[in-house]
Amino acid sequence: PAPLDPSSDATEGVVLEDLRSFHEHPVKHFFRNRLRVTLPKQHEEADTELPTTIDKLEASGIGRDLIAIGMSLDDPEAIRIGEAGPGPDLHPRAAAVIDHHRARGILPPPSAAHPELAAMSDEIAEILAKVQAIDALHLADQLHRIDLVLSDGTRLHGTVAGCCDGPTPGPLQVRYARFKPKYLAAMAVDLLALTAAHPDQDWRGVVATRLPSKGKVPDLWIRKVRGRSPEERRRTALDALGALVEQHRDGLCYPLPLFDATSFEHFDPD
């Protein structure tokens, strides 16, 4: 079948959130945003048996909650859980998270849950400590509004949230998940937009995740837009955004076969 005609929305500009969503999952974005079709998800039946281990998906949710608390407190050690279970040194907010998930029935008995929670919290504390070491742990309570006109006249607008504070601010993603190239892609969209809109600021993008392997050292990615001057950084960012918007425009005409993991291995084999 032939590609669809260009979307009429293209004349009204591109929303930053749509650009970010597209580069995280191009095919899903095409079905949802152009065809208005949502692909069904596979739902598992509720398990009525007592769990004997923490489910991987549930562990991701617990990890996300603990990361949020550790960042808000600016203290990686505040979320460490001992192998004997939550103790008096654990921050009350972190203890409340564990109590919440236990009340949901997703945690196994304490003898099985506590060692898993301890290992999980140790790994999260190490991730947060690496982020803290580069002065990126504290999130700025601020939305950055973006309103750009690209070289072809396309308007790119939206907001960037989730930026770290400090001497080198910028988009920050801290995830209790194995590294995926799409995390870098989403961060790059925000970094480019911020640089193009406010080139006088030395923006830096950071992604911190678990290692792809079972190692305990967290994965930390730091990116900046190249340029010796604000104007050079601005031009570089605008050119890159123009290419990304062109891909987005193509991706609304047909499901664009972009494979982030394959591309990442090609350009960064190490």
Side-chain angles (χ1 to χ4, degrees):
L4 300 177
D5 292 332
S7 171
S8 60
D9 294 342
T11 60
E12 302 173 4
V14 177
V15 179
L16 193 61
E17 173 60 31
D18 287 342
L19 188 64
R20 193 184 304 117
S21 170
F22 167 75
H23 283 92
E24 286 184 341
H25 205 306
V27 175
K28 183 184 293 184
H29 186 86
F30 169 77
F31 277 95
R32 182 176 61 239
N33 291 65
R34 187 66 197 275
L35 300 184
R36 308 300 181 188
V37 173
T38 302
L39 301 179
K41 295 182 180 180
Q42 183 178 359
H43 295 282
E44 297 182 358
E45 294 184 2
D47 192 352
T48 58
E49 297 183 359
L50 183 68
T52 58
T53 187
I54 301 177
D55 178 80
K56 290 183 179 179
L57 185 60
E58 301 292 358
S60 178
I62 297 171
R64 182 175 59 249
D65 292 344
L66 291 177
I67 283 173
I69 292 171
M71 294 186 68
S72 67
L73 297 173
D74 202 15
D75 182 7
E77 297 301 315
I79 52 87
R80 283 194 190 267
I81 302 170
E83 290 198 3
D89 294 335
L90 183 65
H91 194 277
R93 289 174 57 191
V97 163
I98 302 305
D99 290 341
H100 165 72
H101 289 288
R102 180 176 288 113
R104 293 176 56 219
I106 65 171
L107 296 182
S111 59
H114 290 166
E116 288 190 69
L117 291 171
M120 184 188 307
S121 68
D122 286 346
E123 189 174 11
I124 292 170
E126 290 174 13
I127 294 173
L128 294 178
K130 271 214 166 184
V131 175
Q132 187 180 51
I134 60 169
D135 293 324
L137 187 60
H138 185 262
L139 283 176
D141 185 19
Q142 181 180 4
L143 286 176
H144 298 276
R145 298 194 179 280
I146 305 296
D147 199 338
L148 300 166
V149 178
L150 305 182
S151 60
D152 65 352
T154 300
R155 182 186 175 211
L156 178 65
H157 58 98
T159 58
V160 176
C163 288
C164 62
D165 214 340
T168 314
L172 171 66
Q173 292 191 30
V174 183
R175 296 172 178 265
Y176 185 70
R178 303 296 182 189
F179 171 76
K180 293 181 180 179
K182 68 178 183 180
Y183 300 155
L184 277 181
M187 178 272 286
V189 170
D190 286 345
L191 177 62
L192 291 168
L194 287 167
T195 302
H198 309 287
D200 290 333
Q201 175 64 57
D202 186 19
W203 298 102
R204 173 185 63 177
V206 177
V207 175
T209 69
R210 306 175 70 192
L211 278 174
S213 65
K214 293 184 179 180
K216 284 199 170 185
V217 180
D219 226 352
L220 187 67
W221 300 84
I222 301 173
R223 294 292 186 267
K224 286 187 174 185
V225 176
R226 292 179 180 176
R228 298 178 180 178
S229 67
E231 181 56 30
E232 188 175 346
R233 289 196 297 268
R234 179 178 177 274
R235 288 198 305 267
T236 300
L238 285 173
D239 288 345
L241 288 169
L244 294 177
V245 166
E246 186 63 30
Q247 281 189 332
H248 174 264
R249 191 171 288 125
D250 289 343
L252 290 177
C253 296
Y254 57 93
L256 203 60
L258 292 177
F259 305 102
D260 59 340
T262 303
S263 299
F264 180 80
E265 289 296 329
H266 177 72
F267 287 104
D268 195 349
D270 297 330

